[in-house]
Each structure stands twice: as C-alpha cells, then as structure tokens.
Amino acid sequence: MIKKLRLSQKNQSDYPFNIPSLKHTSTLSLNQPITIFVGDNGSGKSTLLQAIAYKNNSINVSKNDLHSPYYKDVHRLAKSMILSHDVQTRKGFFFSGEDFITYINHLKTMKQQLEAEYQEVADEFKNKSEYVRSLALGPIASQLHQLHETYDGELNKRSHGEGFLTFFKARMHQQGVYLLDEPETPLSPLNQYQLLVLLTDLARSGSQIILATHSPILMALEGAIIYEFTDDGITPIAYEDIESVQFTKHFLNDYQNYLRRI
C-alpha cells in the first residue's frame, strides 16, 4: 500500500504547482488504512488525488484514461512526486464522482454493441445446427450475462445514487488501493451512510482508501487521518474541527435561526 508521498517543488508560478496547499507541502504520510482530504473547492484535493492515482498506475473508472492529455496538468504534478509503498498493487481503482456518468454511458454503449453483434451472428448462423450456433453465440452471450450480473442490470436506468451504490457494491470486494474523488456527489445522506459502511468493511479487510470529500458523513470514517487543504499547506485536522462539520451541526441544531437570517 502507499505509505508516504513526497513532492519536489518545481516552478511555483505554474499550475498546478502554484496551488497554495501544494506549494507549501513537501511530504505527506499516508500510512493509515483511510486517509481523507477536506477543504474548499479549488484547494487542490482532487488534483493531488488524481496525481496519486496516475503515479500509482491505478485503473480509472471512467472513459478518460488517466494517461490521456485530458490529465496533462496532473501528469506534470505526478512527475514531481515520489510514492513510497510497502506493497505495490493495481488492485482497486480511481473513482471520480463527476466522471461516473461517463462510465455509465460507456457501459450502455458496450451493451448495445454486444447486442448488435449477437444479432448479426444469430442471423449469420440461423441455418446452422443448434450446436454450431451455440459455439458462435456463446462468447457474446457470456459477456452480456457478465455485464448484467456484475452491475445488476443497466446502471443508466437507475437514479445516479442507485447507480453509484450498485457500482460500489459490485466492485469494492477485493483488497487494493481505492482512490475516491467526491463519491458522495449524487448520494442522499442515507446512501452516504451505506457507502460509509462499505468503505469501513473494505478498510477492515486490508484495503487502503484515500478519499476527497465534502460529506461530513464520510469524513466520520473510523480511524481515518484527515488532512485539510488550506493556503498554508496540507495539515492534519480533527473531525470536530472541520468547518463543514461544525456548520452542519450548528445548522441542524438551530436551523430556524439560520432561516430567519435570510
């Protein structure tokens, strides 16, 4: 698993090296089963997480490959990065909440292509014996069956939240390194809690999770080290001290007062 991250300071006037949190950080310990990145939008959480995924050669759950020009700024940051591992593995994946719809559409296209291929082969072999037809159609039918079984039908016909949970339940079952960028994006609070349970079980089974999130529910993952991204760098912070956690508590405890201020 990933134990430590080191960043060499390049030209700090260039993006992404001029992001304040990254500019003031040279090393980061990642030696806990769960590491959580918190901070405002634009603070560098996602950029650093993507660079870690690229450097770790993680599988990207998206149509965009991590090695594509789409991530060129991430590549520059990753090249200035050194990751220390105890055991290196490609098991697990990098997941971006924003990119997941692209992935769902990719699955839909894959299914449509397989169905079209199945029909073409069925027409071509319609006058052959049942045995010959089964040999010709078998591999395609097997792929369609696997797609259906693994993802519990067509993810694109579900709500985004249902699709996310279905994916996580299908794919989060083996020990590995899981890098998750705002996976709570379409999830209700109850479904966020279900994801918290999945991540807890995953960590207890020996996996490593590095998570960027705005969700106070996911921030509460047991035993996690939490890093806050600010203009002064990346520093550990206690759950109770996170600004979004404090605001959520205050709002829920006195929401009528907040509404009266509007």
Side-chain angles (χ1 to χ4, degrees):
M1 304 301 173
I2 305 170
K3 308 303 289 184
K4 182 178 283 188
L5 177 157
R6 293 181 179 85
L7 284 173
S8 62
Q9 299 302 316
K10 301 292 185 181
N11 187 338
Q12 295 186 354
S13 64
D14 293 340
Y15 183 84
F17 302 102
N18 60 359
I19 297 174
S21 63
L22 304 182
K23 187 176 180 180
H24 296 102
T25 300
S26 57
T27 63
L28 205 62
S29 176
L30 303 171
N31 61 356
Q32 297 296 316
I34 304 174
T35 301
I36 298 176
F37 294 164
V38 302
D40 291 336
N41 292 327
S43 62
K45 304 185 306 299
S46 295
T47 302
L48 183 61
L49 192 65
Q50 290 166 3
I52 294 171
Y54 176 79
K55 192 73 173 183
N56 193 58
N57 199 27
S58 297
I59 296 169
N60 187 16
V61 184
S62 170
K63 192 173 182 180
N64 290 318
D65 189 275
L66 277 168
H67 293 81
S68 72
Y70 179 80
Y71 291 105
K72 64 179 180 179
D73 291 326
V74 169
H75 299 165
R76 296 178 62 235
L77 180 61
K79 288 176 182 177
S80 75
M81 178 188 296
I82 297 174
L83 296 181
S84 300
H85 299 78
D86 54 359
V87 177
Q88 195 162 1
T89 178
R90 285 202 79 206
K91 291 181 179 178
F93 51 78
F94 168 73
F95 177 95
S96 168
E98 290 184 357
D99 290 344
F100 188 67
I101 301 305
T102 302
Y103 185 71
I104 290 177
N105 290 335
H106 172 67
L107 291 179
K108 179 181 178 182
T109 300
M110 183 189 304
K111 181 174 182 289
Q112 290 172 339
Q113 291 173 343
L114 286 171
E115 288 175 337
E117 184 179 354
Y118 185 95
Q119 189 58 52
E120 289 177 6
V121 174
D123 291 342
E124 181 180 352
F125 286 81
K126 64 181 179 181
N127 295 323
K128 304 294 183 180
S129 68
E130 182 177 347
Y131 175 72
V132 171
R133 285 199 307 275
S134 66
L135 288 178
L137 293 170
I140 306 171
S142 178
Q143 291 181 67
L144 282 168
H145 176 76
Q146 186 64 35
L147 190 63
H148 180 86
E149 288 296 311
T150 302
Y151 298 104
D152 192 23
E154 295 181 61
L155 291 178
N156 60 290
K157 290 186 177 179
R158 300 171 178 271
S159 71
H160 291 169
E162 289 175 323
F164 271 47
L165 281 179
T166 297
F167 170 80
F168 290 138
K169 290 175 182 178
R171 293 287 296 271
M172 287 181 170
H173 56 77
Q174 63 176 344
Q175 192 177 100
V177 177
Y178 295 85
L179 307 167
L180 310 176
D181 187 15
E182 299 184 18
E184 76 276 6
T185 301
L187 298 179
S188 68
L190 182 58
N191 284 339
Q192 288 180 38
Y193 177 72
Q194 290 189 50
L195 177 57
L196 181 144
V197 173
L198 285 173
L199 294 177
T200 300
D201 290 343
L202 199 62
R204 287 175 178 172
S205 69
S207 289
Q208 180 178 22
I209 298 159
I210 304 177
L211 169 73
T213 183
H214 291 287
S215 166
I217 294 174
L218 295 183
M219 291 174 191
L221 278 159
E222 184 180 9
I225 181 169
I226 305 173
Y227 287 115
E228 183 180 32
F229 285 56
T230 70
D231 288 350
D232 297 322
I234 304 172
T235 54
I237 186 172
Y239 176 77
E240 294 79 7
D241 295 332
I242 300 171
E243 184 177 12
S244 59
V245 171
Q246 293 180 344
F247 175 80
T248 301
K249 285 182 179 179
H250 293 159
F251 182 84
L252 293 177
N253 288 332
D254 194 16
Y255 71 92
Q256 291 179 337
N257 184 41
Y258 279 91
L259 294 177
R260 280 195 296 269
R261 298 178 186 176
I262 299 175

